[in-house]
Amino acid sequence: MHDLASFKDQIAVIGVGNTRYGNFPDADEYGLAAQAFRNAIDDCGINKNNIDGLLVCRIPYYARMGEVLGIDPRWTLTLPPHGRMSGMGIIEAAQALATGQAKYVALMYANIGRSRRVNYGGDENPSTWDPWGFTSPGAAHAMMFRRHMELYGTTTRQLAEVSVAVRYHATLNPDAVMRNPITIEDHESARFITAPLRLLDYCLINDGAVCIILTTKDRAQDAAKRPVMISGFGCRDSFTQSAISNFDMDFWYPAIQQAGVEARAMAGVGHDDIDALMCYDNFSPTVLFSLEGLGFCEKGESGNYVEGGTLQLGGKLPVNTDGGHLSNSYMQGWALNVEAVRQLRGECGARQVKDCEVVQYVQSTPCTRSIIYTRG
Amino acid sequence: MSNEYAKPLPKITKLTKPFWDHAKAGRVAVQLCRDCGDVRFPPSPVCPRCLSDNQGWRVTQGRGTLESWVEFHRAYWNGFADDLPYRVCLVRLYEGPVFVSNLVGPSDHSKLGAPVRAVFEAVTDEITLPKFELTGE
Ligand SMILES: [Zn+2]
């Protein structure tokens, strides 16, 4: 049996790839995912026929994906199209590699929600609360943020710091969907979707695909680029209060705390070692909840913590340097893991974090996961 | 009346029917485990605490505290378009379970922990929705 600590630095990311992000009505999931796969294969320089592990997420049929890529894996896993599967998938694939079930795993994600006009609410996601008109993940986050405002005095101007910082990073990313800079005033005057949240608190909805290729430490030495190591991870689900989807009365605080403690312990790093945070930003309040849960600030103090550009490049803790879900691309965490890799390789140009050695990913959701990546 | 109602209606199942029967009679009921006393909403096929099948219902006081609220400015169903903006609240019933509903009546004094009570709106011949208002206490 494995001691979790023995996973430290055993599995590496060797290849990452993505499509362009936007509105592609003529493409389907397989076509987009195949482009991302080809880019990830080019990135790591291995023969695609060496891929013997396949993980697909938000892609309808794993076998069709394998057919399109021309591979017969010995390990395959499908994850549901929920926005919290990237952390779970990467950890599952790492364990498959560590236990010898596969030698190279390709993790594939595609989303065509923009061109197919997905609303993320209403009859798409029936729930107990539809008769009262309560629907959509954004409304659940609005419900949490109102609670945070009431409990701790957090303001929407403080919340705006998240959207402004992440948008600033998108202005430095030539591939980002939203590249015009915004101010706190722009945030405060944007239209409400579900008050207290406004348009600029909501993630984008766009098409695109991401591929990540993982292998073991030893095999990673043969890849084209210096590997990025999975140094730690932590996990905790919150299912016992699931009647209100995407909502937690305590902002998932205990779960985030546990995932953070586990990930840091496995990686052997402290808060001050973390050079950048890739934080699942489906809605801007999630970033505040994540900062508190991970212990970058005290519980209830995230509003004060983020004031004055803390989360911007050059600030105390750069967050979502690619522009995140709010401004780069809604790839449901997958693109944030790609950005972690690119930062650690030093490939990020104008948005590069100086001397970047440790990057943490976190998804604060009913399935909370955190992964700590380091330079190999 | 039911022909004109354009908002989503609950899907009544064997599990949820008692809740809607109570609501029609002007009561908010929560599921009760007859073995261990656990209460919850929405109902569950077995008790999440002790896994017993032996489940019944408890009528609550229909009172609780305001735990949060939001205001919808977008209609995800056409039936809500004329109500925009409309308010949704999160209530913790005094008996324990939390309940999502609409906050009706004056809301200027909305604050965390404010006491609320249920009011009942018959929206079709079959369905009555419990909603909540601030008691002003
Ligand atoms: Zn029980």
Side-chain angles (χ1 to χ4, degrees), chain B residues 32-38 40 46-52 54-55:
Chain B
L32 164 73
C33 177
R34 293 201 183 98
D35 285 343
C36 78
D38 188 58
R40 73 198 76 89
V46 302
C47 173
R49 191 162 116 192
C50 74
L51 302 182
S52 167
N54 189 14
Q55 304 298 305

Side-chain angles (χ1 to χ4, degrees), chain A residues 106-348:
Chain A
L107 300 97
M108 320 283 303
Y109 172 85
N111 194 328
I112 54 169
R114 172 64 187 251
S115 54
R116 274 61 168 187
R117 303 191 175 281
V118 173
N119 287 314
Y120 293 91
D123 289 333
E124 285 172 18
N125 308 91
S127 100
T128 303
W129 317 110
D130 292 352
W132 294 275
F134 184 70
T135 186
S136 85
H141 286 75
M143 196 70 99
M144 282 190 281
F145 186 65
R146 169 64 68 190
R147 208 172 144 70
H148 204 275
M149 292 169 80
E150 290 287 304
L151 282 168
Y152 306 117
T154 315
T155 67
T156 58
R157 289 187 72 83
Q158 291 173 326
L159 183 64
E161 295 272 1
V162 174
S163 305
V164 169
V166 172
R167 177 62 63 88
Y168 170 66
H169 296 152
T171 69
L172 305 175
N173 177 3
D175 297 331
V177 171
M178 299 298 287
R179 301 195 60 216
N180 59 314
I182 57 168
T183 63
I184 290 176
E185 275 63 37
D186 292 332
H187 174 274
E188 293 296 277
S189 61
R191 66 185 161 89
F192 283 123
I193 307 292
T194 304
L197 298 191
R198 300 173 181 274
L199 180 66
L200 295 176
D201 295 308
Y202 277 62
C203 59
L204 308 172
I205 297 177
N206 59 267
D207 301 346
V210 172
C211 175
I212 296 175
I213 296 176
L214 304 182
T215 190
T216 56
K217 178 175 73 175
D218 294 343
R219 291 187 186 95
Q221 306 312 316
D222 301 329
K225 291 179 178 170
R226 184 175 172 176
V228 164
M229 310 311 296
I230 295 177
S231 298
F233 53 79
C235 316
R236 178 50 64 103
D237 298 329
S238 310
F239 294 162
T240 56
Q241 302 293 321
S242 295
I244 309 169
S245 302
N246 300 292
F247 176 87
D248 187 90
M249 201 63 115
D250 201 18
F251 321 105
W252 297 296
Y253 185 84
I256 307 168
Q257 196 177 37
Q258 168 156 352
V261 166
E262 274 179 16
R264 287 192 304 273
M266 194 188 304
V269 302
H271 289 98
D272 291 343
D273 299 316
I274 294 162
D275 298 306
L277 178 68
M278 300 303 151
C279 183
Y280 200 92
D281 55 342
N282 46 356
F283 305 95
S284 54
T286 312
V287 174
L288 301 186
F289 308 153
S290 301
L291 294 168
E292 294 178 11
L294 290 177
F296 286 103
C297 60
E298 295 295 311
K299 193 176 189 190
E301 285 296 316
S302 56
N304 291 328
Y305 178 80
V306 300
E307 275 182 329
T310 307
L311 309 183
Q312 288 195 19
L313 202 63
K316 193 166 192 283
L317 182 69
V319 165
N320 298 355
T321 48
D322 63 345
H325 298 84
L326 293 170
S327 291
N328 174 34
S329 179
Y330 183 53
M331 292 289 106
Q332 298 196 308
W334 294 96
L336 288 172
N337 284 279
V338 167
E339 176 71 1
V341 170
R342 289 180 175 151
Q343 283 289 349
L344 289 163
R345 288 172 170 179
E347 296 179 336
C348 289

